[in-house]
Each structure stands twice: as structure tokens, then as C-alpha cells.
Amino acid sequence: MTALIGASARAVAGPGVRVEAVTSAMGPASIESHYDEALSVPGLLAAIADGETRGIDGYVIACFGDPGLDAARELARGPVVGIAEAAMHTAALLGRGFSVVTTLDRTGGRAWDLAARYTAPGACRGVHACEIPVLELEADPHLADRVAALAGLALERDGSDVIVLGCAGMAGLCAAVSDRLGVPVVDGVSAATLMVQSLVALGLRTSQRCEFAAPPPKRYTGAMATFQLESANRPVSRGSSAM
């Protein structure tokens, strides 16, 4: 799945942009609960801290729950964009309302929370689950058919104009679903990659004033001791790549 995500990002990245697709070295195999999400954040932050030492210019968080997004923005000098954030903002530019097609019904509440954060009231018309666990997406030979069928029902039930794919593991389905339904279908991996690329090209970075300033150094104990920051200074970005 990491390879799929990387390929989707590279397909839209501009000339001279190097994409590194990274799997966290620690954490759950997939993120399908609040517990999973909480335990996924240390691995995410460790990957970003490593990127900062190597001069990575920007980051895409390729999970539709956008786990650790705010913490990552405190740690990284360059822009950090979540795929739900990017997909929902993009969808709002393409129609009056969008529907999300995601994996499991239990993750729907998180999608609704993010829609309320990222878009105007009423922009998200519905969240629909195909009930395929994340780790089974790649093994389902009928995935495109199942997602397209559910997306078609979502358009009718919600009166929406755009479909948002609610999992990075669905990144390769945009063209097939869009061709079948005749509406825009947004993949957050592609959208987030281009947003990060655009922000870097514009010379824009996350503001370091107040909330997103570097975390204050303090002592961390136990398993978290390796996450202790020695100072509030972060490495300066030097490269020409998006992560």
C-alpha cells in the first residue's frame, strides 16, 4: 500500500520533485479506531523528525483520519498536509456538496469531524462505508466495482456532486470510478501532494507563531524518552523533495 501511495503521488508531482513514500517504523498495521490513531502518531512524528534532519521540504500524511497533523506541523519547518484535508478542500471547489466513500463504518465519525473542521456546513453530504478493512483493499479483485457502486448510491442519496475516496488505499481508483459515474472523484494522496508542492513553490511554510511554534523542550520519560527535544530549534529545510 505504501508503494501504491508513492506511485499515486509521483504520478502528479512536477518535474524536479522527489517523492519518498515512507511506512512508519512503529505503530499499528492499519488505522481503523481511535486507539489505532493514537498509537500511530509516534511513528509518524519519528518519520518527520528524520525527514527534518535530511532537509525534506514538505510532508503528506497519507491516512484519511489525518492523524498527528497538528503535532507534525509543530515539528516540521515545511508544509504538512493531510489527505482528508486536501481531498475535502478540493472537493468543495468542484461542486456544492461531496460524499465520502470510506472503508469501515466505525471510521465515519472521524470523517464527519474532519469535514466540519475543513469545510463549510453542508458541504459534506454523507459518509458511506464499503465495509472492507484497510488491509484487505489490495486483495479484493472487485474493489473498483464495489467502490463505484457505493459511490453511485451516495450521489443519489446525498444529492452530492463530487466523490471523495476516504482511504489512501483507494488512491488508484479515481479514474475508473469517475469514468463510470461521470462526476469528479478526488483522491487525497494526489490532492495533498500537489498542495504541498504548490506551497513549497510559493515559498510558504507553516507559521511558527503561537500554536504551531516548535514544541518547548522538556523531559519525556519511558518509551517516549526518544522523542525528547533538546531545543526549540528545528533543522532548516535544504532539499527539493516532498515526502
Side-chain angles (χ1 to χ4, degrees), residues 120-145:
C124 182
R125 302 283 178 83
V127 177
H128 306 264
C130 60
E131 294 301 336
I132 304 175
V134 171
L135 297 181
E136 295 180 15
L137 290 173
E138 293 175 299
D140 190 333
H142 306 294
L143 180 62
D145 292 334

Side-chain angles (χ1 to χ4, degrees), residues 48-49 51-53 55-59 71-80 199-200 203-208 212-214 231-238:
I48 289 180
E52 289 296 283
T53 66
I56 297 296
D57 287 319
Y59 305 86
R73 285 177 170 156
E74 291 181 332
L75 194 61
R77 284 193 179 276
V80 184
L199 291 169
V200 171
L204 297 174
R205 303 289 189 265
T206 302
S207 174
Q208 296 182 33
F212 292 118
S231 72
N233 295 323
R234 295 175 289 193
V236 177
S237 178
R238 303 180 301 275

Side-chain angles (χ1 to χ4, degrees), residues 35-232:
Y35 186 79
D36 289 341
E37 181 174 322
L39 293 179
S40 74
V41 175
L44 165 72
L45 296 180
I48 289 180
D50 177 67
E52 289 296 283
T53 66
R54 296 187 294 111
I56 297 296
D57 287 319
Y59 305 86
V60 171
I61 298 178
C63 171
F64 200 75
D66 290 355
L69 178 59
D70 290 337
R73 285 177 170 156
E74 291 181 332
L75 194 61
R77 284 193 179 276
V80 184
V81 177
I83 64 170
E85 176 181 46
M88 291 180 182
H89 281 307
T90 300
L93 299 174
L94 303 174
R96 281 192 171 271
F98 62 86
S99 296
V100 176
V101 174
T102 189
T103 51
L104 301 181
D105 185 63
R106 67 172 295 152
T107 67
R110 180 63 171 161
W112 279 113
D113 289 346
L114 294 178
R117 172 177 174 175
Y118 297 144
T119 61
C124 182
R125 302 283 178 83
V127 177
H128 306 264
C130 60
E131 294 301 336
I132 304 175
V134 171
L135 297 181
E136 295 180 15
L137 290 173
E138 293 175 299
D140 190 333
H142 306 294
L143 180 62
D145 292 334
R146 292 178 66 176
V147 170
L150 183 57
L153 290 174
L155 293 172
E156 293 181 8
R157 292 175 181 174
D158 301 341
S160 54
D161 308 310
V162 182
I163 293 295
V164 167
L165 298 179
C167 180
M170 297 178 177
L173 302 180
C174 273
V177 177
S178 182
D179 289 347
R180 190 172 306 186
L181 300 179
V183 299
V185 177
V186 182
D187 153 46
V189 173
S190 299
T193 299
L194 287 177
M195 284 187 181
V196 170
Q197 178 180 314
S198 296
L199 291 169
V200 171
L202 290 167
L204 297 174
R205 303 289 189 265
T206 302
S207 174
Q208 296 182 33
R209 184 177 185 273
C210 297
E211 181 178 351
F212 292 118
K218 65 184 64 174
R219 188 170 69 92
Y220 282 62
T221 60
M224 296 290 103
T226 58
F227 290 87
Q228 182 170 316
L229 300 175
E230 298 301 328
S231 72

